[in-house]
Amino acid sequence: MTRTADVDKDRVSALKEQLRRREHEIALLRETALAVGSELDLDKVFALIVDRARELISAETVLLPLLNRDCNEYTYRAGSGANVDEIVGESLPLDFGICGWVWKHKRPWWRGVLSELSEQEKNLWEKDAGTLLMVPLVGRQHFLGGIACIDKSGGGEFSESDLHLLELFAGQVAIAIENAMAMEKVEQARREAEEAQGELQRVNKRLSAVNQELEYLSLYDNLTGLPNRSLFHDHVRKELKQRGEGDGGLALLIADIDRFQDLNDTLGHEAGDELLRIVAQRFASRLGPTDIIGRMSGDEFAVLLTDVDEKSAMASARSLLDALDQTMELAGNEVLVTAGIGVALFPQHGNDISTLFKHADAAMLAAKREKSGAHLFDEQHDAGNAGRFALVRELRAALDNGEFVLYYQPKLELATSTITGVEALARWYRQDGSYVPPDMFITALEQTGLIQRFTWWALETAMLQRNAWLKQRLDLRIAVNVPISVITDPRFISGLARLVERYSARGGITLEITENIFFGDYDRLNAVLTELRSFDIECSIDDFGTGYSSLARLRLLPVAEIKIDRSFVMDMLHSNDDAVIVKSTIDLGQNLGIKVVAEGVENIQTLQQLYRLRCDSVQGYYVAKALPVAELEAFFAQSKWTVQRADKAAATTAGDPI
Ligand code: C2E
Ligand code: CA
Ligand code: CA
């Protein structure tokens, strides 16, 4: 009884011991799984795994061989126990040793597999079989490597239950390893991206430095460091734009050095350069903080003075001349430099940039002519030719007396062989019968500010003529030339709206505008053109290709038509350059949905070539010259081309001129 009881007792305590062990193992497993699962630092994960595995099956040493990324080697990534430092970090070929065997068979190695080995393998490994246990680590997606345990603590062999426990353990940690490895990849990618980002930033910085330099080079004169012509013009434009009523005046000074070319030739280019630098410095030293100076070209400087009147502007001009009143040493010579300065005031002598420049220039020339040093613009003397003042008076009289006449030149639409419109071109025969070419009187009108009045006359005359033709059932769109300074005048839109209303001219008028080299306010132009569209007034860019209209700008402007300048068209059959410009302009127009008109078509060959290039319309002597109304109507009557006719509806919407 006692014996049996003792036996039972022993069995109970053995079972209890076993239970405790199991509980410990389970706790260890669970805890490891948790710890590993929440740790993303790979090295920490590996260290944890080998420590726990060693504890779990009481091994002297545990190693963690893992496959490398390209799967041809494994590396001991972690170890726990005696002498592991020597092994950790080592890499071996994949098909080597027990690790290779586990990888190949994807099953654990323990002494139970000895019977399955080849003789050769058996001889190699039999000796160590009992003291070695290795289970594979297989993640959700990949075979990762294994956990290798060497020597049971306190001697003896690893048991089958050690094997099962380790397998269970490996199953749990494999997923964690895989996650951590994936994280590592992500981390690696992030680091690489960061590096790339850093590199990108460095490159960008360099690029923007280069851009700044380029911008500097394109805006500043590199001899004197002063703003160049284009930057100076920008400054002036900005000032003019900001100026409101009641603001102080501006003065534009243009200084030109006397006999610079001679000095340059006798003293040499280097001395010439030095001279310009010294002049720039001396001028700059006489200016106030808000004044702007720039180098326009060669030996010409310009200065913009703000908040000045005539007296202070002239005083500044004289001060600039004083600054030159001291010899400078150039190539071993003492040289005294003199200059002529022309002064134009805003608003007295012009309220736009091109007029101001023209007048300051004229004054400068007068200063040089009269050797007067500084010269204020004076309309009567500076006109360049004595006849100009008389011309101004005459122009005014011509307007008052209705001496200007509009001639009309047909525009032929090629696809339909139809004359769809005409361009109004002004003619002026003086009362004595002499003829003044339009280029000349238009320029004079622009310079004197009479162009506004003239343009209103032209617009009104064209609208009247359109209505007269509509009565004859001719539906011709009339193009009127309008200078950009007129179109961007604040009162233009409302004035035109009234006129369109009065003559029911909706949809019947095109404005031909030519870009002016001095023009800079594209936002304003854009707004104006957009508004014009709203009452069906089309816009056409005239003289396209002559250099001022840039493609980039054109893209931004809501225009209906571009006219290729006649200088390209007239020679397009013989000049390859011209042919290329004509063709690419037509292509450009097509791409942007803008009609293209070729001007200056003087023969049938050019017309045929333009037809082949799919140009929309042509204008030129081959079709007809600009003709007075009666002659044009006679031409229509016998023309081989159709003339666009108005249907009844259109004819009745055209109201009577009032
Ligand atoms: P534009 O606007 O480029 O006008 C076209 C010019 O080319 C006209 O010269 C016209 O007679 C001429 N032309 C037409 N076909 C041919 C051709 O086949 N061969 C040649 N060689 N020339 C041809 P025009 O009438 O002497 O006018 C010259 C410029 O004067 C015009 O150039 C325009 O800028 C200006 N202009 C004329 N009338 C007015 C107007 O009423 N208002 C404004 N603001 N400017 C006008
Ligand atoms: Ca024109
Ligand atoms: Ca033109």
Side-chain angles (χ1 to χ4, degrees):
M1 182 71 191
T2 323
R3 264 189 68 81
T4 355
D6 279 350
V7 171
D8 281 354
K9 225 176 171 179
D10 286 350
R11 276 183 60 198
V12 166
S13 66
L15 274 173
K16 271 190 177 161
E17 169 60 23
Q18 220 179 347
L19 192 63
R20 211 174 31 249
R21 272 192 56 106
R22 279 273 161 268
E23 276 169 356
H24 176 66
E25 287 162 5
I26 288 169
L28 204 60
L29 275 172
R30 186 178 297 142
E31 197 196 315
T32 309
L34 261 174
V36 167
S38 60
E39 179 60 67
L40 290 175
D41 178 335
L42 259 190
D43 289 325
K44 284 195 189 141
V45 168
F46 295 158
L48 204 77
I49 288 169
V50 288
D51 282 344
R52 293 294 161 85
R54 192 156 81 95
E55 189 180 347
L56 197 64
I57 60 166
S58 307
E60 285 287 333
T61 307
V62 173
L63 290 167
L64 192 65
L66 294 179
L67 232 59
N68 289 357
R69 199 180 280 186
D70 29 12
C71 295
N72 53 4
E73 277 186 343
Y74 56 86
T75 299
Y76 289 103
R77 298 288 297 264
S80 174
N83 305 326
V84 292
D85 289 350
E86 288 166 25
I87 307 168
V88 171
E90 288 290 313
S91 297
L92 289 167
L94 187 57
D95 45 11
F96 184 82
I98 289 172
C99 214
W101 188 93
V102 169
W103 173 73
K104 209 182 298 166
H105 296 89
K106 312 276 184 297
R107 7 179 326 215
W109 161 280
W110 74 297
R111 66 183 153 79
V113 302
L114 266 183
S115 55
E116 302 166 23
L117 296 184
S118 68
E119 273 314 301
Q120 198 196 2
E121 284 173 324
K122 214 186 266 177
N123 292 340
L124 202 58
W125 294 329
E126 189 159 23
K127 194 159 58 71
D128 297 327
T131 60
L132 237 172
L133 183 61
M134 182 166 169
V135 297
L137 277 168
V138 184
R140 264 184 297 250
Q141 292 157 27
H142 307 287
F143 178 83
L144 306 170
I147 304 173
C149 305
I150 307 160
D151 296 329
K152 184 89 179 167
S153 299
E157 296 194 336
F158 290 114
S159 65
E160 191 165 358
S161 91
D162 288 335
L163 171 70
H164 292 320
L165 210 52
L166 195 62
E167 274 189 292
L168 200 63
F169 179 76
Q172 282 187 340
V173 298
I175 308 290
I177 291 180
E178 200 170 46
N179 287 345
M181 281 175 136
M183 267 317 282
E184 197 189 44
K185 261 189 216 157
V186 170
E187 180 64 13
Q188 169 91 4
R190 193 187 60 76
R191 267 199 304 273
E192 280 167 13
E194 231 167 43
E195 261 163 40
Q197 187 72 23
E199 179 65 20
L200 199 69
Q201 270 166 6
R202 278 190 293 279
V203 171
N204 265 336
K205 246 198 209 137
R206 271 213 306 277
L207 196 71
S208 86
V210 170
N211 275 341
Q212 262 170 16
E213 173 136 6
L214 270 180
E215 187 175 301
Y216 181 86
L217 287 178
S218 70
L219 295 177
Y220 291 87
D221 164 43
N222 52 6
L223 180 67
T224 60
L226 295 180
N228 64 15
R229 173 190 290 272
S230 118
L231 181 59
F232 188 83
H233 278 177
D234 276 352
H235 281 308
V236 178
R237 251 181 237 125
K238 225 178 273 161
E239 276 298 332
L240 288 176
K241 202 169 160 187
Q242 283 167 3
R243 266 319 87 177
E245 305 238 332
D247 278 343
L250 299 173
L252 178 67
L253 277 54
I254 291 184
D256 189 281
I257 295 164
D258 296 329
R259 294 172 40 243
F260 177 75
Q261 206 47 51
D262 288 350
L263 289 168
N264 209 25
D265 291 345
T266 28
L267 301 174
H269 279 285
E270 268 173 40
D273 284 356
E274 181 60 15
L275 185 157
L276 293 171
R277 267 193 294 264
I278 294 174
V279 169
Q281 275 162 13
R282 290 193 186 175
F283 279 174
S285 72
R286 298 292 174 116
L287 298 175
T290 55
D291 302 333
I292 298 157
I293 177 168
R295 182 174 169 218
M296 299 299 97
S297 63
D299 59 341
E300 195 177 290
F301 296 85
V303 173
L304 184 74
L305 304 172
T306 49
D307 298 325
V308 285
D309 55 16
E310 178 181 326
K311 227 171 115 197
S312 54
M314 290 311 288
S316 295
R318 278 189 296 270
S319 159
L320 293 182
L321 292 170
D322 283 349
L324 300 178
D325 226 7
Q326 207 179 45
T327 57
M328 46 180 94
E329 210 199 282
L330 295 170
N333 301 286
E334 293 289 313
V335 180
L336 189 69
V337 172
T338 57
I341 298 182
V343 182
L345 301 174
F346 166 91
Q348 299 91 308
H349 301 146
N351 49 16
D352 63 83
I353 179 170
S354 76
T355 312
L356 280 172
F357 264 91
K358 223 176 296 173
H359 290 170
D361 250 337
M364 183 269 288
L365 289 175
K368 297 190 83 144
R369 208 166 41 231
E370 295 161 17
K371 306 214 168 5
S372 62
H375 187 106
L376 184 70
F377 175 72
D378 170 347
E379 188 135 346
Q380 302 192 29
H381 289 105
D382 297 334
N385 55 35
R388 192 165 160 273
F389 187 62
L391 179 66
V392 172
R393 231 181 336 194
E394 225 193 322
L395 283 171
R396 202 167 274 138
L399 272 169
D400 291 342
N401 303 335
E403 287 173 26
F404 294 108
V405 190
L406 285 186
Y407 279 31
Y408 298 92
Q409 184 177 38
K411 283 182 172 175
L412 176 70
E413 187 176 83
L414 291 176
T416 54
S417 283
T418 304
I419 291 166
T420 54
V422 293
E423 174 177 2
L425 290 160
R427 297 290 177 258
W428 184 24
Y429 289 94
R430 283 209 192 91
Q431 271 163 349
D432 64 7
S434 63
Y435 173 74
V436 184
D439 282 322
M440 208 161 135
F441 68 76
I442 295 295
T443 311
L445 287 166
E446 279 178 341
Q447 283 176 3
T448 52
L450 288 170
I451 191 68
Q452 300 268 358
R453 219 185 122 187
F454 173 87
T455 304
W456 288 121
W457 164 80
L459 282 164
E460 187 166 12
T461 308
M463 288 179 190
L464 278 164
Q465 185 58 54
R466 176 171 155 76
N467 287 344
W469 278 329
L470 279 170
K471 282 199 158 167
Q472 303 172 34
R473 313 258 325 270
L474 296 176
D475 180 11
L476 295 167
R477 177 176 272 280
I478 302 185
V480 179
N481 291 283
V482 180
I484 207 155
S485 61
V486 173
I487 215 174
T488 52
D489 186 280
R491 287 153 301 180
F492 182 74
I493 290 282
S494 52
L496 187 65
R498 268 197 303 276
L499 219 52
V500 166
E501 173 83 6
R502 182 172 342 148
Y503 295 109
S504 312
R506 258 175 182 278
I509 298 291
T510 294
L511 306 184
E512 291 191 9
I513 53 178
T514 307
E515 279 189 83
N516 177 302
I517 190 167
F518 289 103
F519 188 73
D521 196 350
Y522 283 86
D523 290 343
R524 166 110 194 99
L525 182 59
N526 199 348
V528 170
L529 298 192
T530 306
E531 234 178 304
L532 287 177
R533 260 198 176 178
S534 71
F535 41 101
D536 294 341
I537 298 288
E538 290 194 345
C539 278
S540 169
I541 300 285
D542 208 351
D543 302 341
F544 189 81
T546 48
Y548 306 144
S549 26
S550 95
L551 290 183
R553 283 167 181 165
L554 182 66
R555 241 179 257 279
L556 300 176
L557 293 176
V559 300
E561 179 183 278
I562 43 186
K563 296 184 80 175
I564 313 177
D565 192 61
R566 61 180 183 274
S567 61
F568 303 108
V569 177
M570 281 162 66
D571 227 14
M572 62 178 275
L573 295 182
H574 304 109
S575 152
N576 194 38
D577 286 354
D578 290 351
V580 167
I581 290 175
V582 169
K583 181 175 181 339
S584 54
T585 307
I586 293 171
D587 291 347
L588 171 83
Q590 265 172 359
N591 286 337
L592 296 178
I594 298 174
K595 278 180 292 180
V596 178
V597 181
E599 305 182 314
V601 176
E602 295 187 343
N603 50 55
I604 184 143
Q605 291 82 4
T606 306
L607 184 139
Q608 283 167 339
Q609 178 61 10
L610 287 162
Y611 178 79
R612 281 193 285 273
L613 293 173
R614 295 171 177 277
C615 184
D616 295 290
S617 301
V618 297
Q619 197 181 327
Y621 295 167
Y622 179 70
V623 181
K625 288 191 175 180
L627 298 169
V629 174
E631 283 177 43
L632 185 70
E633 287 172 357
F635 165 79
F636 285 160
Q638 48 87 58
S639 167
K640 59 176 161 174
W641 291 289
T642 322
V643 181
Q644 186 156 284
R645 316 244 355 141
D647 55 30
K648 279 215 173 81
T652 47
T653 49
D656 279 340
I658 295 166

